[in-house]
Amino acid sequence: MAYNNVNFMRLLSEESSHSTVSSDSCEYYQTEIFDQLPSIQASRPEQSRQACEDYQGGSEAGEEVSHDSRGPKVKASTQPLRNLVMCIQGRRGVRDRRKMQISNIGFWESWRRSQSINRKRVWAQMGGTLSGLLPWQHTLHAIEGRFGVGVKAYFVFLRYLVYLNLLHCALIGGFVLGPTAFYGRGKNSEPLTFGGDDSVLDFFQGSGYLDRSPVFFGFYTPGSLNLQCLNTPLLYLTGILTILFLSLILVVRRTTVGYKHTWMLGKRHSMNVSYKIFCGWDFTIQDPPAAALKHSFIRNDLKLFLEEQSFSLREAQRTLGQRVRLYLLRFVLNLLVLTLLGGAFSLIYFATKTSQDERDHYWLVRLVIHYLPPITISFVNLLLPHIFRKISSFEDYSFTVQVNTLLVRSIFLKLASLGIYLFFIFTTIELNQQKNHFHCRENLFGREMYKLCIFNFLCTFCNAFLLNYPRKLLQEKYPSSLLAWLWRKQHFLIPFNVLDLVYSQTVCWVGVYYCPLLPLIGAVTLMATFYIQKFTVLRCCVAEQRMFRGSSSSVLFHFMLMLGLLMAAATLGFNLYEQEVTTGKNMSSCGPFGNGESVFNVTGVCVDSLPSPAQSTLRYLASAAFALPLILAEIILLTSYVSRGRANQKAIERLKDMLVMICAFPLQSSSDKRFLVKQHTTVLRRLRNPPRVRSAAIKEDVPLNH
Amino acid sequence: MGTTASQLGKDMLSEYQELTFLTKQEILLAHKRFTELLTKDEKDLPNTRVSEERILTLPELKSNPFRKRICHVFSTSEYKDGSLTFEDFLDLLSAFSDSATLEIKSHYAFRIFDFDDDGTLDCGDLEKLVNCLTGETDDTRLTTEEMRQLISNILEESDIDKDGTVNLSEFQHVISRSPDFVSSFKIVL
């Protein structure tokens, strides 16, 4: 025992020569508390490495060290071996010792432990197999290897959207397609055939053949399943609402999870630079060019940060006159931005108006006119962000703010132009319908969404194969030509690409009521988009200049998605409400809600058929008398959560203060702390004496190697 | 218990599975890659060491600016020459694997960044670290003034006890709040 202690002392004094505690008696180190202190765990790598090296050298010292420090052993017996910070030989030693322990603890305990280990292993294996089943794992790895975490985040987001759309497809299949296929449609519906004046063009316009097909709302006339509470209209409505609610839950969950990671931990000890340094290198990078790129990323990022710091210094030193001039300039520029946005919106309005014109033209002209609104929207969205970028460079913001304002303006432009378009389309369709009573209004609306979706995909396709790829080829063939120099290198701009995805998903949500197969179309186009973007990234791009942090950007992505979803829900709600108001004058008689039924009265009919207690309960739930207690309860719940959050915030602050103390412990160890630890030791020793003798006896028998 | 380098016994395989974070396939792949680094004669010897130069020819490590440090940290060689046995190699892959815990990863990251092996990150370590990150050549380095500003920033943020160095617990504290670390501190064969 004496030898062990001496040995242990030697190791400790080697490693903690900078600390003031090494002069104490050795019992001091043998306590559990001391071992669990972060400062001691901080110095353990040295110890365990020492242990490994000694072990390799054939001496028994390493073995003895971990035996003597009882803390890790006690802790270790619950911790999986692989979690120990030591080399494999060291872990082997620990395992052998644990085996000896197991033989002492009796059959039942040992069986239980080995079972739990086996169970864990099976779980881990199952997890591994399942994650191996996820599609595109390999592609993501390759992309990550060449472009780092940021671009991968985009592709993960894309994959998430594919999953979401497939889920929607399943719901649509269950609630809408299934009942329709099983119970048939109304008797007066003619069979679906491709003929007459249908043409291939219809697939792009969403008219003719497609108009009669299951793609659109009008197909789903009420079928033979016609119970009071189980009929096709009701199922249709349930399906669509489920989709919207489920998406809301999923997206909110993803956003909050990311948000918690990024912001909840408070800003008092902001760790921005330290992250950049300590977590800066992406160890997954294998390509030398990618590594060079990463070097320049980090360099630019650091320089940017330092520049920003000196910028804020400069900002603080601005005189009043300069400040007034700057604000005036910003005001004017913001007005300019607003004017541009207004111009863009009116352009969209005219395009929409023109496209609703039902005159006969040559087919190509007709196609172009049909696609005029999507073309305008895309054109505006392509052009304006670049103008915004130029504008924001005059505003004398710091670089990060510049990029953020650009992003916010672009988001606003994209979603607002979609919203404006929807609004105009709605009003023009209304007008059209009043002029000439022709078929289904919902189909017309669905058709517009269908066109937007298709056009968005065509844009991605053309962008990749008609713009980026030729550009890359040109650069490879004639690297010195003027044109190649003008176009320079192609970057993969994550924010704009994500905006595209969010936009198409929003279109999908808005249109799902009018065009139930839109999720399927969305899923297919997204899958194709995945491969197209993969091609673009791997073949045509050098990575983007600005580094994007995986976590914070994915929060931003999901937040944008949530905005899109809210917009979709608002549009749908508005449309249905408007329909209810106008229904009296102008009954639309297509789709599931034919002959006098509407979205609002199908549920009413169902409720009326229920037994009276259930009916009155439901009526109470829907009344204002119930709303008041509900709101009160929500307020109470919210208040309690807010106060709990505040309390937690305070606790976090206090813990941060304690953290400062604990991290400072090795240097500030005062005598009273030592005294406490000593007291604790003596108590422990009195309790532990018998088992310790036994463990020493066991140790004698432990063979070193086997 | 020696491993003959050319094949891997079944019991060794399960032992390695128990002792590392690697799956069976990963261990087999690691073994295959490791034996490719050996010469003909060495293949029959147990516990052969592969020198640092030959380890660094692996594409997974080749473009990593910390490659020498990684070898040095995971090497159990007495001569501190950075040479690795197969088990050291497994150790390396285990720490860098997908399933290794944050604690393990941050621990090894700290040791990799601790260039002078003294148990803390001081100004010298930080300067070397930043130079590794930005590139080693003269025109890619930060200027002295920038470096000074940067290091004072780092210390201001993460040196909680204000002793002028970053110790392991402070380091782990920083790392634990970075959600990106686990996903980027990864080497998969």
Side-chain angles (χ1 to χ4, degrees), chain A residues 91-92 95 295 299 309, chain B residues 1 15 19 133-134 149:
Chain A
R91 276 185 228 145
R92 208 173 257 152
R95 186 192 56 174
H295 280 308
R299 194 168 53 246
Q309 218 178 27
Chain B
M1 63 180 293
E15 186 179 21
L19 295 178
L133 287 173
T134 57
Q149 194 187 346

Side-chain angles (χ1 to χ4, degrees), chain A residues 384-533:
Chain A
L384 280 193
H386 291 285
I387 298 179
F388 288 163
R389 200 163 67 186
K390 277 274 171 299
I391 287 177
S392 65
S393 67
F394 288 111
E395 288 179 304
D396 200 20
Y397 286 124
S398 67
F399 188 76
T400 326
V401 180
Q402 232 177 70
V403 169
N404 285 343
T405 46
L406 175 63
L407 206 58
V408 166
R409 279 171 188 167
S410 308
I411 292 173
F412 182 71
L413 173 69
K414 196 127 206 172
L415 291 184
S417 58
L418 181 63
I420 297 283
Y421 174 57
L422 291 176
F423 180 73
F424 287 144
I425 229 188
F426 188 73
T427 46
T428 45
I429 284 178
E430 195 88 338
L431 281 177
N432 256 347
Q433 215 190 8
Q434 274 164 15
K435 263 189 279 172
N436 41 357
H437 286 273
F438 80 129
H439 62 297
C440 211
R441 195 175 65 159
E442 282 83 357
N443 266 18
L444 284 183
F445 201 84
R447 193 191 286 175
E448 297 305 320
M449 295 300 103
Y450 175 80
K451 278 192 282 190
L452 276 182
C453 188
I454 295 288
F455 186 75
N456 209 25
F457 174 67
L458 285 180
C459 261
T460 315
F461 185 85
C462 294
N463 195 24
F465 291 105
L466 301 183
L467 192 66
N468 289 338
Y469 189 53
R471 196 161 145 182
K472 179 74 180 175
L473 282 183
L474 186 74
Q475 268 167 21
E476 277 172 0
K477 288 261 165 66
Y478 312 101
S480 56
S481 71
L482 185 68
L483 209 56
W485 181 82
L486 272 180
W487 270 354
R488 263 170 259 154
K489 288 223 163 113
Q490 167 75 24
H491 297 298
F492 188 76
L493 295 165
I494 299 175
F496 292 122
N497 277 302
V498 168
L499 266 181
D500 276 343
L501 287 185
V502 170
Y503 173 74
S504 69
Q505 187 58 42
T506 308
V507 168
C508 193
W509 274 324
V510 173
V512 71
Y513 176 75
Y514 304 99
C515 176
L517 285 195
L518 209 54
L520 182 66
I521 298 169
V524 172
T525 52
L526 280 175
M527 271 190 234
T529 308
F530 187 94
Y531 287 105
I532 292 173
Q533 294 288 26

Side-chain angles (χ1 to χ4, degrees), chain A residues 246-281:
Chain A
L246 208 65
S247 321
L248 184 68
I249 292 169
L250 287 175
V251 172
V252 166
R253 206 182 62 94
R254 285 286 276 237
T255 316
T256 47
V257 166
Y259 181 77
K260 253 193 286 192
H261 260 299
T262 327
W263 281 293
M264 281 299 253
L265 288 162
K267 295 199 164 151
R268 197 179 118 194
H269 292 288
S270 155
M271 296 280 181
N272 283 327
V273 202
S274 308
Y275 287 156
K276 281 177 191 149
I277 301 299
F278 295 146
C279 316
W281 189 256

